[in-house]
Amino acid sequence: MNIVVCVKQVPATTEVKMNKETNTIIREGIEAIINPFDTYAIEEGVRIKEQGGGKVTVISMGIPKVADLLRETIALGADEAVLLSDKAFAGADTLATAYTLSLGIKKMGPVDLIICGKQATDGDTAQVGPSLAAKLGIPHTTYVRKIEEIREGTIRCQRLTEDGYEVIEMPLPAVITVVKEINEPRIPSFKGLMKAKKAEIPVWTADEIAADESLIGLKGSPTWVVSTFVPQHNVNSEMIEGKPEEQAKILVDKLLSLQLPLSK
Amino acid sequence: MDYFFTEEQSMIKELAARIADEKIAPVALEYDEKGTFPHDIVTVLAQSDLCGVYIPEEYGGLGGGILEMAIVVEELSRACGGIALAFAATGLGSFPILLFGNEEQKKKYLPDIASGQKLAAFGLTEANAGSDAAGIQTTATLDGDDYVLNGTKQWITNGGEADTYTVMVCTDRSRGPLGFTALIVEKGMPGFSFGKKENKMGIRASVTTELVFENCRVPKENILGREGMGFAVAMKTLDRTRPGVAAQAVGIAQGAFDYAIKYSRERVQFGQAISSFQIIQHMLADMAIQIEAARALVYQTCRHIDSGAKNISKESAMCKVFASDMAMKVTTDAVQVLGGSGYMKEYPVEKMMRDAKITQIYEGTNQIQRNIIALELIKESKKKQ
Amino acid sequence: MASIKITDQCTGCKLCLKSCPFGAIVVEDKKARILDTCTLCGACVSSCKFEAIDFTKEESQAADLSAYHGVWVFAEQKDGKVANVAFELLGEGTRLAAKLDTKVSAVLLGEGMESASKELITHGADTVYVVDDPKLRQYNDESYADIFVQVVKAYKPEIILIGATTYGRSLAPRVASVLNTGLTADCTGLEIDTQKRELLQTRPAFGGNLMATIICPNHRPQMASVRPKVMKALEPDETRQGEIIVPDVNIPTDTVTKVLEVVNSLTEKVNLAEADIIVAAGRGIGKPENLRYVEELADVLGAAVGASRAVVDAGWIEYSHQVGQTGKTVGPKIYIACGISGAVQHLAGMSSSDIIIAINKNPDAPIFKLANIGLVGDLVEILPALTKEFKQRIG
């Protein structure tokens, strides 16, 4: 099994702190981490390898510094990691990102399974996985909570839905995006960390993946951000006090007066 | 403060801290409440390679020393002093083999301990041999190629969970402490069983049982050193592991302090966070001062031992006494900073206070430690004259 | 290739620093410098009073956008029942279509779709494109995307709105990728720039801490997904007329993705994403046995049961109940947070609720800062009292 795991670098916190004087976002001191959802993807890839053999390659598109995070994935059990990095990739939206990743994956040779986290915590779009599958012309399943079986070139997995789950079977190669429920990511081993320190992370540029420059970076991105702003939560909090029975009565009075859909 | 760790030591500290924060902290209160053994955490520790930090690389370890062991114990204890003990007590059970084992014994027992596949335990205490270790009544008599053991060890940490036990037995009652011998006993050897599991005040995630020997046959090649060396094995082992208890105390105190200062910033009374009151600020400052002083002493003692120094009993006892008394005081103050909440089981500090208490008692009570220190000091003074 | 440069006109005034959402500008030696972390979003350009930011966004050869007309809504259905979010999007689509002076249509794929088609018309669809086939009975990413793309290519809509449900969030990016067009996820606000006929799509990022407005200027259709409960459906009107079109599409027979089984889990009585009321449990409930107080209140209110990550991680309730950044994003009319302290990750999943009621023992819990109504006290006492009171008053 050749398994590819796609990861993204995100800020460690989604809490945007504002400098009140200048009305700017405070970015200093915010650590960059691997998108938390992608850690489940890495863990699942490594587990599949440990059970059935194969190789796990991690891929990411990002600035050169992302190589440090990719090195961490080696400590978590990945065999190799590749970084797609080029100034020409800057400004990519999900479509251009999916295209770029698809070229990086194609360059690796035959791949059986591609695993992504269900979404990234900075953008929350959940679009790159399915978009990547379309670019590669292979099937995909999102929100996978369990892989039931991988056998004879097919994967059978459970997709989480609003009402429960579905059991879906696809031929490989295929893309899955995984939810947190699928596993509990391991903590790296000391020896893994030592190996990761020494690991070489190849960096592939736009030329090396033979990218069409009209399809990468900002130019290849149909969507443009035209403005950003911080939403203001102006909440008038009202505290209800008293004994539990009194609190309950006041709350129910209040809600009923608002004509909310309270009855079944 | 920068303690000038090597890069590897810093990595060990970071890794142990991650395990503490991500894996142990979320389950610490539950294990404390239930008093069950944390097998899942032991698995995490095994996967991390940290079980072997103090074991030489040739036996599958990471080749560190007492300092590396203390770093791990401290970090794990920040989250739970009880869970940390599965690791620390394995160290106590392993040091007799590290110090006195022959090549075959080391090859046979240490790799499994280093990989975390097996835990170890140390069997010294008995009903009538506590502070007075010379009161050991468990006997071993040579019968053919085996020693035959009879007697009961009490309050043994990791009892039942460990596979490898280093046990002090009496092979010649007439010689007093010089008639003691150290043996390696494996779980499953005929005649070796475990008695009742103790219900403890603190470190409840750690398991403590009796070791019961009823005509238990142990091959004579399992002897550590020679007959009559048991007391020396025990004392030299404890000299090296007391800094581990001290590190546990520092970790517990740090965990309590961290919680107390965070709480003081969130808790509002008289219209402001209680951290804005000078009385709380001074309590916090005093707690931090004591923790840092103890930590510095622990690390320096570890380095002193790791340097190969010969006379380490006094130093090792000093750091254990200082750190454990400090932990008792700091955790008590942490409960005080939290006030009524501190006394409640929903908050972690009362557990830390219960956990801290044992560090003043086990591996030699602080009273016995002071005896050791005082006798050493007097001996040194005599030499100078 | 797009590029950004600071010209000599720069005075080092630092005005641009404020405008950069990515913190990718620094001022050194009285001159601004763009860092590697720049994403070429262009937000800084207009902030510069000295026109010192030279930003070129090479326009890709503008495709003929004028061929695209109309606002489309993907009408998600399950077992023949149209999802509420489709009606909500028709409501929003009607508003947008009016501004563009065009029509709003629904695209419906499934089996036995006759009544569903009519229902879409009563909810505002001028046209319903229906592909009715036994092979489409169950949602399937591969076949649905394939057919959707065919219909889009044939009829060329300028805007497509898709519900950000499990299916919608899977289908939309696959379709957009094949069509090579832009897609904006989880929009909370949609407007029209009538001059340019552009859809202004506003969406939260960074767990809702930052809002971004996004356009798709050179590609059509402009695709956006919207979460349930964000938009308002029109009142159904039986007299509304609409056209039903059956597009000529090739229904794939060799779909390799197979849905073998659909399991509706029993523990979750109400779909969290669609629920009007959610009663959610946090660590403050103390022990798993106390979950019943939450469930009893939910029962009386016909509400769904949510949970914080701590409760799920402790194994007290299934992951499917988890609300927050690593769980589900919800937007009910009423959200009752029981013993939830209000970690930012949790707030990210429920802060768009209309009314937030927080019940917590700790008066300093951050949840109270966001809550419209707060009750300080012991859940074990308050919840049964509330359940009793509601039972008497609305039972």
Side-chain angles (χ1 to χ4, degrees):
Chain A
M1 281 284 284
N2 277 328
I3 301 159
V4 173
V5 179
C6 302
V7 305
K8 182 185 186 186
Q9 170 181 296
V10 298
T13 169
T14 58
E15 205 166 350
V16 179
K17 289 207 182 93
M18 295 300 289
N19 179 334
K20 290 215 175 91
E21 281 171 23
T22 58
N23 200 35
T24 55
I25 299 166
I26 300 170
R27 288 268 174 172
E28 290 80 35
I30 295 182
E31 193 195 347
I33 54 166
I34 296 170
N35 170 34
F37 292 111
D38 298 345
T39 61
Y40 303 100
I42 297 166
E43 177 67 27
E44 198 61 21
V46 172
R47 286 187 188 189
I48 295 168
K49 177 188 81 169
E50 284 171 350
Q51 279 160 22
K55 183 176 146 189
V56 176
T57 310
V58 175
I59 189 166
S60 184
M61 184 188 86
I63 55 173
K65 235 185 131 34
V66 177
D68 294 340
L69 289 182
L70 289 180
R71 220 165 270 123
E72 279 179 27
T73 70
I74 303 283
L76 294 169
D79 299 283
E80 285 174 24
V82 176
L83 176 63
L84 307 176
S85 191
D86 196 314
K87 287 219 152 145
F89 297 150
D93 69 0
T94 56
L95 185 77
T97 304
Y99 169 74
T100 309
L101 287 172
S102 75
L103 296 183
I105 291 167
K106 280 180 191 162
K107 187 179 159 79
M108 291 174 188
V111 165
D112 299 296
L113 180 63
I114 298 162
I115 312 177
C116 305
K118 75 158 182 168
Q119 66 197 52
T121 53
D122 54 353
D124 289 324
T125 73
Q127 286 175 186
V128 170
S131 189
L132 171 64
K135 291 284 171 230
L136 291 167
I138 58 178
H140 81 263
T141 297
T142 52
Y143 298 151
V144 171
R145 64 166 211 176
K146 187 181 179 187
I147 294 179
E148 288 188 349
E149 194 178 37
I150 298 176
R151 198 165 63 97
E152 289 164 14
T154 64
I155 180 168
R156 195 171 71 234
C157 52
Q158 295 181 3
R159 157 199 268 176
L160 193 67
T161 65
E162 282 88 351
D163 315 309
Y165 67 92
E166 295 170 355
V167 182
I168 294 176
E169 189 175 86
M170 305 180 289
L172 298 175
V175 174
I176 60 170
T177 76
V178 298
V179 295
K180 174 190 153 188
E181 198 184 354
I182 196 164
N183 59 43
E184 192 181 341
R186 72 193 62 191
I187 282 181
S189 68
F190 185 83
K191 288 170 190 169
L193 289 168
M194 294 301 280
K195 187 182 162 203
K197 260 174 64 175
K198 291 182 209 129
E200 288 289 326
I201 308 295
V203 178
W204 293 349
T205 61
D207 279 347
E208 281 166 287
I209 56 172
D212 175 341
E213 73 161 53
S214 70
L215 297 176
I216 55 171
L218 188 68
K219 199 171 177 192
S221 298
T223 59
W224 298 356
V225 175
V226 285
S227 66
T228 55
F229 58 96
V230 174
Q232 302 299 325
H233 299 288
N234 287 327
V235 180
N236 295 323
S237 286
E238 181 190 340
M239 300 303 278
I240 298 178
E241 280 158 17
K243 288 183 186 149
E245 295 74 26
E246 292 161 8
Q247 287 176 308
K249 187 171 178 307
I250 297 169
L251 179 62
V252 175
D253 280 346
K254 191 169 283 298
L255 292 177
L256 290 178
S257 73
L258 292 170
Q259 307 258 308
L260 290 156
L262 284 176
S263 52
K264 281 193 200 185
Chain B
M1 198 174 330
D2 187 348
Y3 285 103
F4 300 100
F5 285 153
T6 63
E7 197 180 351
E8 290 194 7
Q9 286 162 349
S10 300
M11 282 169 66
I12 287 168
K13 184 177 166 69
E14 222 170 277
L15 186 52
R18 265 191 77 175
I19 293 172
D21 296 335
E22 292 175 29
K23 303 288 180 184
I24 301 181
V27 296
L29 293 189
E30 201 176 324
Y31 275 115
D32 175 67
E33 174 109 22
K34 291 188 184 150
T36 50
F37 190 77
H39 290 108
D40 52 340
I41 306 293
V42 171
T43 307
V44 170
L45 283 170
Q47 285 169 351
S48 74
D49 301 329
L50 291 182
C51 290
V53 275
Y54 53 86
I55 292 173
E57 285 175 270
E58 52 195 303
Y59 307 115
L62 299 180
I66 304 290
L67 180 56
E68 282 77 4
M69 180 166 86
I71 290 170
V72 174
V73 173
E74 181 192 337
E75 285 304 324
L76 301 183
S77 299
R78 232 177 0 93
C80 179
I83 293 178
L85 203 49
F87 168 81
T90 294
L92 178 62
S94 308
F95 263 91
I97 304 175
L98 277 164
L99 295 172
F100 293 92
N102 57 38
E103 192 55 28
E104 276 141 59
Q105 290 166 337
K106 286 181 182 174
K107 273 194 186 142
K108 183 171 177 190
Y109 294 105
L110 294 180
D112 284 344
I113 292 170
S115 70
Q117 298 306 304
K118 288 182 178 169
L119 299 177
F122 179 75
L124 174 63
T125 303
E126 295 182 9
N128 293 314
S131 290
D132 180 11
I136 289 177
Q137 288 172 349
T138 298
T139 57
T141 353
L142 201 56
D143 178 27
D145 287 339
D146 296 334
Y147 281 104
V148 179
L149 275 62
N150 279 291
T152 300
K153 293 285 171 187
Q154 170 175 280
W155 299 339
I156 306 305
T157 305
N158 282 354
E161 297 294 340
D163 285 285
T164 310
Y165 297 79
T166 47
V167 181
M168 307 306 136
V169 294
C170 181
T171 42
D172 185 350
R173 194 172 298 284
S174 68
R175 300 189 64 207
L178 292 178
F180 294 165
T181 299
L183 294 173
I184 305 171
V185 185
E186 292 173 34
K187 185 176 177 176
M189 282 179 167
F192 178 23
S193 62
F194 304 100
K196 73 168 176 186
K197 196 184 144 193
E198 304 294 344
N199 186 11
K200 304 187 294 295
M201 168 187 184
I203 53 164
R204 293 174 50 80
S206 171
V207 61
T208 312
T209 65
E210 291 175 332
L211 310 182
V212 182
F213 303 103
E214 290 165 309
N215 291 319
C216 166
R217 297 190 80 87
V218 177
K220 70 175 181 197
E221 64 259 26
N222 279 21
I223 190 168
L224 286 163
R226 296 184 317 273
E227 270 193 23
M229 277 177 70
F231 198 73
V233 170
M235 292 307 124
K236 288 205 183 303
T237 293
L238 291 170
D239 280 349
R240 279 163 182 78
T241 55
R242 269 184 225 113
V245 178
Q248 181 190 26
V250 172
I252 293 170
Q254 185 68 51
F257 172 80
D258 290 345
Y259 198 89
I261 193 164
K262 181 172 158 273
Y263 180 90
S264 75
R265 287 167 41 231
E266 289 167 2
R267 172 68 176 169
V268 174
Q269 288 288 275
F270 304 104
Q272 47 194 318
I274 62 168
S275 62
S276 62
F277 300 121
Q278 202 171 46
I279 184 70
I280 300 291
Q281 292 173 353
H282 286 191
M283 282 178 83
L284 293 169
D286 280 335
M287 290 158 81
I289 294 165
Q290 296 170 76
I291 294 169
E292 209 57 58
R295 180 179 289 125
L297 181 58
V298 172
Y299 291 168
Q300 196 48 38
T301 306
C302 290
R303 287 183 161 132
H304 175 66
I305 297 171
D306 286 338
S307 74
K310 288 245 157 48
N311 298 317
I312 55 173
S313 298
K314 181 187 71 188
E315 289 75 8
S316 146
M318 281 177 166
C319 91
K320 192 262 185 187
V321 168
F322 188 78
S324 56
D325 286 349
M326 175 283 292
M328 202 60 239
K329 170 138 182 45
V330 167
T331 53
T332 308
D333 285 348
V335 171
Q336 196 68 23
V337 168
L338 268 75
S341 296
Y343 201 71
M344 299 299 148
K345 288 204 177 234
E346 286 163 71
Y347 293 84
V349 288
E350 64 82 30
K351 165 189 179 291
M352 291 163 171
M353 182 174 156
R354 286 186 281 114
D355 287 352
K357 185 64 204 172
I358 191 64
T359 62
Q360 292 180 306
I361 299 171
Y362 65 9
E363 295 201 31
T365 62
N366 283 7
Q367 287 66 36
I368 289 290
Q369 303 304 326
R370 287 183 167 94
N371 284 354
I372 295 172
I373 296 162
L375 290 174
E376 276 297 320
L377 290 169
I378 292 162
K379 213 159 74 184
E380 284 169 17
S381 173
K382 271 188 196 159
K383 269 189 202 162
K384 281 183 199 156
Q385 280 171 355
Chain C
M1 207 178 95
S3 69
I4 188 161
K5 272 203 306 262
I6 304 292
T7 68
D8 291 342
Q9 274 119 293
C10 177
T11 62
C13 74
K14 299 189 178 174
L15 269 176
C16 52
L17 266 57
K18 295 180 187 178
S19 67
C20 179
F22 300 96
I25 312 179
V26 289
V27 172
E28 293 167 349
D29 297 334
K30 299 205 170 165
K31 195 178 173 188
R33 188 164 71 84
I34 309 281
L35 303 176
D36 276 353
T37 43
C38 172
T39 67
L40 294 172
C41 75
C44 55
V45 178
S46 60
S47 74
C48 182
K49 293 209 167 76
F50 307 95
E51 297 186 343
I53 302 175
D54 180 9
F55 181 61
T56 48
K57 217 175 213 177
E58 274 174 45
E59 315 265 321
S60 46
Q61 68 291 357
D64 185 13
L65 306 181
S66 61
Y68 292 80
H69 291 290
V71 178
W72 279 19
V73 169
F74 171 65
E76 178 176 332
Q77 56 82 20
K78 218 172 213 173
D79 302 325
K81 194 180 170 306
V82 177
N84 283 332
V85 67
F87 298 138
E88 294 158 18
L89 294 183
L90 275 177
E92 181 68 4
T94 304
R95 193 178 70 81
L96 299 174
K99 294 201 171 180
L100 289 163
D101 196 15
T102 184
K103 286 181 174 176
V104 61
S105 313
V107 179
L108 181 63
L109 312 183
E111 183 193 14
M113 291 290 104
E114 204 169 316
S115 73
S117 312
K118 291 207 179 100
E119 219 182 339
L120 289 165
I121 291 170
T122 62
H123 280 84
D126 296 312
T127 316
V128 183
Y129 296 91
V130 187
V131 183
D132 201 324
D133 191 282
K135 287 195 214 58
L136 301 177
R137 199 179 64 78
Q138 166 64 36
Y139 173 84
N140 180 310
D141 278 308
E142 203 187 335
S143 55
Y144 270 52
D146 185 310
I147 294 168
F148 201 110
V149 167
Q150 291 183 53
V151 184
V152 170
K153 282 184 174 166
Y155 295 90
K156 298 190 177 7
E158 59 195 303
I159 291 173
I160 302 176
L161 306 179
I162 297 186
T165 58
T166 299
Y167 293 160
R169 295 185 110 210
S170 186
L171 176 74
R174 194 168 179 104
V175 169
S177 186
V178 175
L179 295 170
N180 246 337
T181 191
L183 167 63
T184 305
D186 298 339
C187 297
T188 51
L190 296 171
E191 273 314 321
I192 298 288
D193 178 334
T194 44
Q195 266 189 330
K196 296 183 184 160
R197 287 187 84 82
E198 271 172 10
L199 181 64
L200 303 173
Q201 309 159 84
T202 299
R203 73 176 303 266
F206 294 103
N209 289 298
L210 191 71
M211 303 297 289
T213 301
I214 292 166
I215 56 168
C216 176
N218 300 321
H219 295 71
R220 292 292 180 272
Q222 307 164 82
M223 293 179 64
S225 72
V226 180
R227 291 204 189 253
K229 301 269 158 197
V230 172
M231 301 301 177
K232 291 254 170 308
L234 302 175
E235 283 300 317
D237 178 352
E238 297 292 335
T239 64
R240 230 174 237 138
Q241 295 295 311
E243 188 186 2
I244 290 179
I245 294 178
V246 179
D248 181 19
V249 293
N250 178 16
I251 294 166
T253 50
D254 52 351
T255 309
V256 293
T257 307
K258 305 245 181 308
V259 179
L260 303 180
E261 198 184 345
V262 178
V263 180
N264 291 334
S265 86
L266 299 169
T267 54
E268 199 177 343
K269 287 175 194 139
V270 187
N271 176 346
L272 272 178
E274 298 261 337
D276 279 328
I277 306 176
I278 292 174
V279 186
R283 189 84 199 197
I285 62 164
K287 49 186 176 183
E289 296 77 50
N290 290 346
L291 257 181
R292 72 184 165 96
Y293 298 119
V294 172
E295 284 163 351
E296 282 163 9
L297 177 60
D299 224 29
V300 172
L301 295 171
V305 173
S308 73
R309 175 177 175 160
V311 172
V312 174
D313 282 355
W316 295 354
I317 195 166
E318 272 183 48
Y319 170 65
S320 55
H321 292 266
Q322 188 177 323
V323 172
Q325 192 167 56
T326 52
K328 288 180 176 150
T329 304
V330 297
K333 295 205 167 62
I334 304 177
Y335 190 90
I336 307 179
C338 308
I340 292 176
S341 66
V344 64
Q345 289 81 359
H346 187 78
L347 302 184
M350 45 62 81
S351 58
S352 63
S353 309
D354 291 349
I355 294 179
I356 296 168
I357 299 167
I359 309 173
N360 206 302
K361 192 171 357 182
N362 175 9
D364 307 321
I367 188 83
F368 286 120
K369 295 208 178 86
L370 189 77
N372 304 84
I373 303 173
L375 287 78
V376 176
D378 192 343
L379 291 167
V380 176
E381 292 175 2
I382 292 184
L383 288 179
L386 258 180
T387 305
K388 197 175 149 205
E389 189 72 25
F390 273 122
K391 246 187 205 158
Q392 283 173 1
R393 306 280 290 275
I394 61 173

